[in-house]
Amino acid sequence: MSKTPIRLLVHGASGRMGQALLRLAADREDLRVVAAVSRKVDQRVVDGIPRFAAKELAGVPAFDAAIDFSLPDGFEAMLALCVSRSAAFVSGTTGLSDDQRGALDAAASRIPVLWAANFSLGVAVLDLLVERAARDLDGWACDILEQHHVHKLDAPSGTALALGASAERGGAAPRYASVRAGDIVGEHTVQFAGVGERVELVHRATNRDVFALGALTAAVRLAARTPGLYGMRDLLADA
Ligand code: NAD
């Protein structure tokens, strides 16, 4: 029997990620977008979805979860709205200050909260496998190779560093290598090298939609959770 779709608010709706979220949300039966918020709005309703400017937040209709891919200056107002409406908060906004990170932790005592550097479900599984391999392959060399398009400025990628943190939790001491070439969406290889054998764990993203799809799935699953701070790994068990 299908469940009632969750009511979703998209914050940062006119941006690259926001547009992908709205396009992909239209095909899903497990959620319904009830409000799309961006810094400014030109039209009140687009494709049947009401649009709101950031300064009109107080007037948005009831919602169960919000997905935020905006900029740091809009982050706190959205988080505060989720707390006041008892709604789940999913965010991929980067460049947050320490205070904003603290606000996330504080909100987690009242609502379910998830911030992720990478919303791919495949990367969430890779992360689990890396920690497991690091634990079982004691003493093996661990190298993380990440490859991205030429426009990506930071290196190693946030995802490579998150995978490295999991390898460290398993007892490995990872080293990093980065390649910037062509239009690669994102590839991460975690290699464990022993004597006479190697294990390679690889994830390849071939389409940016995986990040928006992962965020939509995270919002649906998070809306059913109790208050707390969650990672993508915590939501895999519901798959
Ligand atoms: P973008 O510049 O294309 O869009 C930004 C959106 O935020 C726009 O809709 C804009 O109107 C809105 N916005 C800006 N200031 C606002 C405010 N004060 N209040 C309300 N809305 C506001 O950016 P993008 O490429 O869509 O990325 C958005 C964010 O998501 C960035 O922080 C980016 O680094 C991050 N991002 C994260 C991931 C991930 O997987 N974690 C992936 C892609 C992008």
Side-chain angles (χ1 to χ4, degrees), residues 142-166:
C142 175
D143 288 275
I144 300 178
L145 169 67
E146 57 97 353
Q147 305 193 61
H148 285 88
H149 53 86
V150 292
H151 303 293
K152 185 169 177 64
L153 297 177
D154 56 316
S157 66
T159 301
L161 293 171
L163 291 168
S166 294

mmCIF file of all heavy atoms in Angstrom, residues 142-166:
data_model
loop_
_atom_site.group_PDB
_atom_site.id
_atom_site.type_symbol
_atom_site.label_atom_id
_atom_site.label_comp_id
_atom_site.label_asym_id
_atom_site.label_seq_id
_atom_site.Cartn_x
_atom_site.Cartn_y
_atom_site.Cartn_z
ATOM 1 N N CYS A 142 46.678 2.448 2.168
ATOM 2 C CA CYS A 142 45.370 2.949 1.722
ATOM 3 C C CYS A 142 45.574 4.240 0.930
ATOM 4 O O CYS A 142 46.159 5.202 1.447
ATOM 5 C CB CYS A 142 44.473 3.195 2.938
ATOM 6 S SG CYS A 142 42.887 3.952 2.521
ATOM 7 N N ASP A 143 45.149 4.235 -0.341
ATOM 8 C CA ASP A 143 45.257 5.429 -1.191
ATOM 9 C C ASP A 143 43.893 5.776 -1.761
ATOM 10 O O ASP A 143 43.162 4.890 -2.222
ATOM 11 C CB ASP A 143 46.240 5.167 -2.336
ATOM 12 C CG ASP A 143 47.676 5.132 -1.832
ATOM 13 O OD1 ASP A 143 48.279 6.212 -1.723
ATOM 14 O OD2 ASP A 143 48.154 4.021 -1.499
ATOM 15 N N ILE A 144 43.578 7.070 -1.729
ATOM 16 C CA ILE A 144 42.292 7.539 -2.259
ATOM 17 C C ILE A 144 42.563 8.439 -3.458
ATOM 18 O O ILE A 144 43.243 9.469 -3.326
ATOM 19 C CB ILE A 144 41.495 8.301 -1.184
ATOM 20 C CG1 ILE A 144 41.229 7.370 0.007
ATOM 21 C CG2 ILE A 144 40.184 8.837 -1.759
ATOM 22 C CD1 ILE A 144 40.495 8.014 1.161
ATOM 23 N N LEU A 145 42.061 8.005 -4.616
ATOM 24 C CA LEU A 145 42.214 8.788 -5.850
ATOM 25 C C LEU A 145 40.859 9.378 -6.197
ATOM 26 O O LEU A 145 39.876 8.644 -6.319
ATOM 27 C CB LEU A 145 42.680 7.877 -6.996
ATOM 28 C CG LEU A 145 42.618 8.495 -8.393
ATOM 29 C CD1 LEU A 145 43.628 9.641 -8.529
ATOM 30 C CD2 LEU A 145 42.870 7.435 -9.461
ATOM 31 N N GLU A 146 40.796 10.705 -6.332
ATOM 32 C CA GLU A 146 39.529 11.324 -6.761
ATOM 33 C C GLU A 146 39.752 12.091 -8.053
ATOM 34 O O GLU A 146 40.787 12.730 -8.229
ATOM 35 C CB GLU A 146 38.955 12.213 -5.653
ATOM 36 C CG GLU A 146 39.861 13.328 -5.165
ATOM 37 C CD GLU A 146 39.574 14.673 -5.808
ATOM 38 O OE1 GLU A 146 38.760 14.746 -6.737
ATOM 39 O OE2 GLU A 146 40.211 15.652 -5.377
ATOM 40 N N GLN A 147 38.786 11.975 -8.974
ATOM 41 C CA GLN A 147 38.892 12.644 -10.271
ATOM 42 C C GLN A 147 37.632 13.471 -10.524
ATOM 43 O O GLN A 147 36.509 12.979 -10.329
ATOM 44 C CB GLN A 147 39.033 11.602 -11.388
ATOM 45 C CG GLN A 147 40.190 10.641 -11.170
ATOM 46 C CD GLN A 147 40.496 9.857 -12.422
ATOM 47 O OE1 GLN A 147 40.836 10.432 -13.457
ATOM 48 N NE2 GLN A 147 40.349 8.555 -12.355
ATOM 49 N N HIS A 148 37.849 14.714 -10.949
ATOM 50 C CA HIS A 148 36.728 15.610 -11.255
ATOM 51 C C HIS A 148 37.063 16.467 -12.481
ATOM 52 O O HIS A 148 38.213 16.534 -12.912
ATOM 53 C CB HIS A 148 36.426 16.532 -10.062
ATOM 54 C CG HIS A 148 35.716 15.835 -8.931
ATOM 55 N ND1 HIS A 148 36.390 15.184 -7.928
ATOM 56 C CD2 HIS A 148 34.387 15.692 -8.653
ATOM 57 C CE1 HIS A 148 35.514 14.664 -7.072
ATOM 58 N NE2 HIS A 148 34.295 14.960 -7.490
ATOM 59 N N HIS A 149 36.052 17.165 -12.956
ATOM 60 C CA HIS A 149 36.175 18.088 -14.094
ATOM 61 C C HIS A 149 37.151 19.235 -13.786
ATOM 62 O O HIS A 149 37.442 19.522 -12.620
ATOM 63 C CB HIS A 149 34.791 18.659 -14.440
ATOM 64 C CG HIS A 149 34.101 19.265 -13.259
ATOM 65 N ND1 HIS A 149 34.295 20.563 -12.868
ATOM 66 C CD2 HIS A 149 33.255 18.716 -12.346
ATOM 67 C CE1 HIS A 149 33.590 20.808 -11.788
ATOM 68 N NE2 HIS A 149 32.954 19.689 -11.445
ATOM 69 N N VAL A 150 37.595 19.886 -14.826
ATOM 70 C CA VAL A 150 38.640 20.906 -14.677
ATOM 71 C C VAL A 150 38.177 22.153 -13.914
ATOM 72 O O VAL A 150 39.006 22.942 -13.464
ATOM 73 C CB VAL A 150 39.192 21.357 -16.058
ATOM 74 C CG1 VAL A 150 39.963 20.235 -16.710
ATOM 75 C CG2 VAL A 150 38.055 21.840 -16.967
ATOM 76 N N HIS A 151 36.848 22.332 -13.750
ATOM 77 C CA HIS A 151 36.369 23.543 -13.076
ATOM 78 C C HIS A 151 36.353 23.410 -11.561
ATOM 79 O O HIS A 151 36.174 24.401 -10.857
ATOM 80 C CB HIS A 151 34.954 23.903 -13.574
ATOM 81 C CG HIS A 151 34.902 24.093 -15.055
ATOM 82 N ND1 HIS A 151 35.547 25.128 -15.687
ATOM 83 C CD2 HIS A 151 34.325 23.354 -16.034
ATOM 84 C CE1 HIS A 151 35.360 25.025 -16.994
ATOM 85 N NE2 HIS A 151 34.629 23.957 -17.228
ATOM 86 N N LYS A 152 36.514 22.195 -11.064
ATOM 87 C CA LYS A 152 36.477 22.017 -9.602
ATOM 88 C C LYS A 152 37.769 22.558 -9.007
ATOM 89 O O LYS A 152 38.867 22.165 -9.392
ATOM 90 C CB LYS A 152 36.296 20.546 -9.240
ATOM 91 C CG LYS A 152 36.123 20.336 -7.737
ATOM 92 C CD LYS A 152 35.672 18.921 -7.419
ATOM 93 C CE LYS A 152 35.556 18.666 -5.930
ATOM 94 N NZ LYS A 152 34.533 19.476 -5.276
ATOM 95 N N LEU A 153 37.620 23.448 -8.007
ATOM 96 C CA LEU A 153 38.791 24.158 -7.471
ATOM 97 C C LEU A 153 39.419 23.436 -6.284
ATOM 98 O O LEU A 153 40.631 23.385 -6.157
ATOM 99 C CB LEU A 153 38.394 25.578 -7.052
ATOM 100 C CG LEU A 153 37.899 26.483 -8.191
ATOM 101 C CD1 LEU A 153 37.462 27.828 -7.643
ATOM 102 C CD2 LEU A 153 38.991 26.661 -9.250
ATOM 103 N N ASP A 154 38.575 22.908 -5.370
ATOM 104 C CA ASP A 154 39.135 22.323 -4.146
ATOM 105 C C ASP A 154 39.660 20.913 -4.409
ATOM 106 O O ASP A 154 39.129 20.173 -5.234
ATOM 107 C CB ASP A 154 38.077 22.306 -3.026
ATOM 108 C CG ASP A 154 36.811 21.568 -3.449
ATOM 109 O OD1 ASP A 154 36.354 21.786 -4.591
ATOM 110 O OD2 ASP A 154 36.303 20.745 -2.669
ATOM 111 N N ALA A 155 40.718 20.551 -3.704
ATOM 112 C CA ALA A 155 41.303 19.212 -3.822
ATOM 113 C C ALA A 155 42.059 18.896 -2.534
ATOM 114 O O ALA A 155 42.770 19.770 -2.029
ATOM 115 C CB ALA A 155 42.264 19.138 -5.022
ATOM 116 N N PRO A 156 41.939 17.718 -1.957
ATOM 117 C CA PRO A 156 41.033 16.634 -2.381
ATOM 118 C C PRO A 156 39.565 17.062 -2.213
ATOM 119 O O PRO A 156 39.266 17.987 -1.458
ATOM 120 C CB PRO A 156 41.370 15.494 -1.420
ATOM 121 C CG PRO A 156 42.570 15.907 -0.652
ATOM 122 C CD PRO A 156 42.701 17.378 -0.752
ATOM 123 N N SER A 157 38.683 16.365 -2.892
ATOM 124 C CA SER A 157 37.258 16.677 -2.795
ATOM 125 C C SER A 157 36.748 16.424 -1.375
ATOM 126 O O SER A 157 37.332 15.616 -0.632
ATOM 127 C CB SER A 157 36.478 15.788 -3.770
ATOM 128 O OG SER A 157 36.578 14.435 -3.363
ATOM 129 N N GLY A 158 35.649 17.077 -1.018
ATOM 130 C CA GLY A 158 35.039 16.853 0.298
ATOM 131 C C GLY A 158 34.661 15.389 0.471
ATOM 132 O O GLY A 158 34.770 14.824 1.569
ATOM 133 N N THR A 159 34.244 14.750 -0.620
ATOM 134 C CA THR A 159 33.870 13.334 -0.545
ATOM 135 C C THR A 159 35.094 12.467 -0.270
ATOM 136 O O THR A 159 35.031 11.530 0.540
ATOM 137 C CB THR A 159 33.196 12.908 -1.870
ATOM 138 O OG1 THR A 159 32.049 13.737 -2.066
ATOM 139 C CG2 THR A 159 32.780 11.454 -1.844
ATOM 140 N N ALA A 160 36.229 12.791 -0.928
ATOM 141 C CA ALA A 160 37.456 12.016 -0.677
ATOM 142 C C ALA A 160 37.861 12.137 0.796
ATOM 143 O O ALA A 160 38.247 11.143 1.430
ATOM 144 C CB ALA A 160 38.586 12.512 -1.573
ATOM 145 N N LEU A 161 37.736 13.340 1.344
ATOM 146 C CA LEU A 161 38.110 13.540 2.754
ATOM 147 C C LEU A 161 37.161 12.777 3.681
ATOM 148 O O LEU A 161 37.588 12.206 4.691
ATOM 149 C CB LEU A 161 38.104 15.037 3.090
ATOM 150 C CG LEU A 161 39.194 15.856 2.374
ATOM 151 C CD1 LEU A 161 38.974 17.349 2.582
ATOM 152 C CD2 LEU A 161 40.583 15.445 2.859
ATOM 153 N N ALA A 162 35.870 12.741 3.322
ATOM 154 C CA ALA A 162 34.908 11.996 4.143
ATOM 155 C C ALA A 162 35.212 10.497 4.076
ATOM 156 O O ALA A 162 35.154 9.785 5.088
ATOM 157 C CB ALA A 162 33.482 12.276 3.660
ATOM 158 N N LEU A 163 35.575 9.993 2.880
ATOM 159 C CA LEU A 163 35.944 8.574 2.744
ATOM 160 C C LEU A 163 37.216 8.293 3.552
ATOM 161 O O LEU A 163 37.346 7.245 4.190
ATOM 162 C CB LEU A 163 36.174 8.223 1.265
ATOM 163 C CG LEU A 163 34.927 8.231 0.376
ATOM 164 C CD1 LEU A 163 35.316 8.152 -1.096
ATOM 165 C CD2 LEU A 163 33.995 7.074 0.733
ATOM 166 N N GLY A 164 38.141 9.268 3.518
ATOM 167 C CA GLY A 164 39.385 9.114 4.282
ATOM 168 C C GLY A 164 39.114 9.044 5.781
ATOM 169 O O GLY A 164 39.746 8.262 6.500
ATOM 170 N N ALA A 165 38.148 9.837 6.241
ATOM 171 C CA ALA A 165 37.804 9.820 7.673
ATOM 172 C C ALA A 165 37.254 8.452 8.051
ATOM 173 O O ALA A 165 37.551 7.919 9.131
ATOM 174 C CB ALA A 165 36.786 10.920 7.974
ATOM 175 N N SER A 166 36.471 7.845 7.161
ATOM 176 C CA SER A 166 35.948 6.504 7.432
ATOM 177 C C SER A 166 37.075 5.474 7.441
ATOM 178 O O SER A 166 37.080 4.553 8.261
ATOM 179 C CB SER A 166 34.893 6.117 6.391
ATOM 180 O OG SER A 166 33.784 6.964 6.533
#
